[in-house]
C-alpha cells in the first residue's frame, strides 16, 4: 500500500472523526496518522493509547528497557504513561491512531477492558492484510480520498 496517496485522508479523519461510539463504549480520538517514512523519535509518553500499523519497512519499538523488532504487517501498542520510542534507519511506513476511552459515556465492561489493556504485556502483534483492523484502516483512508462526500455525512 502506497501511503503517499492517503496523506490527505489523515487530514480529513483528523477533521471529522474525533469520537467513536460502539457497543457501550465511547472513545475520544486524539489524532489519526499516515507517515510514509517515519524515522527516529526520542523517548516520550502520552496520557492515551496509540496503535501503530507497520505497512512497510523495518525498525525497533523500545518500551522502557525492552526492544521489539518491527517489520511489515506488525501492529504495536503504546500504552498511557509508558515511556517509548521508535527507531528506523531507512524509515517505517506507518498508520496510527491515538485514543482514549471516555469513561463517563462507557459501560463498566469497557472501563475494565481498558484498565486491563493498560497492564497488557504483549504490545507487538503480527497481522495479515485481511485482519479486521487493517481492512478498517484501509477502508477509512480510501473513503476519505474518494471524491464523493458521503463519508463526511
Amino acid at each position: 500500500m502506497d501511503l503517499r496517496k492517503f496523506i490527505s485522508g489523515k487530514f480529513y479523519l483528523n477533521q471529522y472523526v474525533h469520537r467513536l461510539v460502539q457497543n457501550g463504549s465511547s472513545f475520544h480520538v486524539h489524532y489519526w496518522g499516515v507517515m510514509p517514512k517515519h524515522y527516529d523519535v526520542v523517548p516520550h509518553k502520552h496520557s492515551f493509547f496509540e496503535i501503530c500499523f507497520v505497512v512497510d519497512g523495518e525498525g525497533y519499538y523500545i518500551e522502557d528497557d525492552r526492544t521489539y523488532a518491527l517489520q511489515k504487517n506488525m501492529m504495536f501498542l503504546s500504552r498511557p504513561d509508558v515511556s517509548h520510542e521508535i527507531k528506523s534507519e531507512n524509515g517505517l511506513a506507518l498508520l496510527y491512531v491515538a485514543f482514549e476511552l471516555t469513561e463517563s459515556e462507557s459501560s463498566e465492561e469497557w472501563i475494565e477492558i481498558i484498565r486491563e489493556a493498560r497492564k497488557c504485556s504483549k504490545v507487538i502483534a503480527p497481522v495479515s492484510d485481511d485482519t479486521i483492523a487493517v481492512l478498517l484502516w484501509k477502508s477509512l483512508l480510501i473513503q476519505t480520498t474518494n471524491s464523493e462526500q458521503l463519508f463526511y455525512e
Side-chain angles (χ1 to χ4, degrees), residues 26-43:
S26 177
F27 287 93
H28 170 70
V29 177
H30 290 271
Y31 52 81
W32 298 87
V34 175
M35 181 88 52
K37 285 286 187 181
H38 188 288
Y39 295 93
D40 299 348
V41 54
V42 297

Side-chain angles (χ1 to χ4, degrees), residues 1-15 17 29-38 48-55 75-76 86 92-99 133-134 136-138 140-141 144:
M1 173 182 359
D2 182 7
L3 292 187
R4 289 174 295 199
K5 66 183 176 184
F6 294 123
I7 290 175
S8 64
K10 84 171 180 180
F11 295 114
Y12 292 115
L13 287 171
N14 282 310
Q15 185 174 0
V17 185
V29 177
H30 290 271
Y31 52 81
W32 298 87
V34 175
M35 181 88 52
K37 285 286 187 181
H38 188 288
F48 45 82
F49 288 93
E50 184 179 65
I51 294 179
C52 298
F53 170 54
V54 180
V55 176
M75 284 193 172
F76 58 100
I86 301 167
L92 291 162
L94 294 178
L95 297 176
Y96 51 95
V97 62
F99 62 92
V134 173
L136 178 59
W137 242 319
K138 287 179 183 178
L140 283 170
L141 289 167
T144 60

Side-chain angles (χ1 to χ4, degrees), residues 101-141:
L101 186 71
T102 306
E103 289 189 8
S104 63
E105 300 174 13
S106 299
S107 68
E108 284 300 320
E109 178 183 7
W110 272 101
I111 292 170
E112 185 58 29
I113 288 169
I114 294 301
R115 282 187 188 136
E116 289 300 313
R118 283 177 169 266
K119 298 183 272 184
C120 180
S121 62
K122 185 176 181 185
V123 296
I124 301 282
V127 293
S128 63
D129 284 336
D130 61 354
T131 301
I132 291 172
V134 173
L135 291 173
L136 178 59
W137 242 319
K138 287 179 183 178
S139 177
L140 283 170
L141 289 167

Side-chain angles (χ1 to χ4, degrees), residues 23-86:
N23 296 331
S25 68
S26 177
F27 287 93
H28 170 70
V29 177
H30 290 271
Y31 52 81
W32 298 87
V34 175
M35 181 88 52
K37 285 286 187 181
H38 188 288
Y39 295 93
D40 299 348
V41 54
V42 297
H44 67 284
K45 55 184 166 180
H46 14 78
S47 62
F48 45 82
F49 288 93
E50 184 179 65
I51 294 179
C52 298
F53 170 54
V54 180
V55 176
D56 204 4
E58 295 180 351
Y60 297 94
Y61 176 71
I62 303 163
E63 182 183 272
D64 289 332
D65 61 348
R66 293 173 304 237
T67 300
Y68 303 92
L70 297 175
Q71 60 187 13
K72 181 178 180 173
N73 287 345
M74 294 187 94
M75 284 193 172
F76 58 100
L77 174 67
S78 297
R79 296 167 295 151
D81 304 313
V82 177
S83 181
H84 60 276
E85 63 184 299
I86 301 167

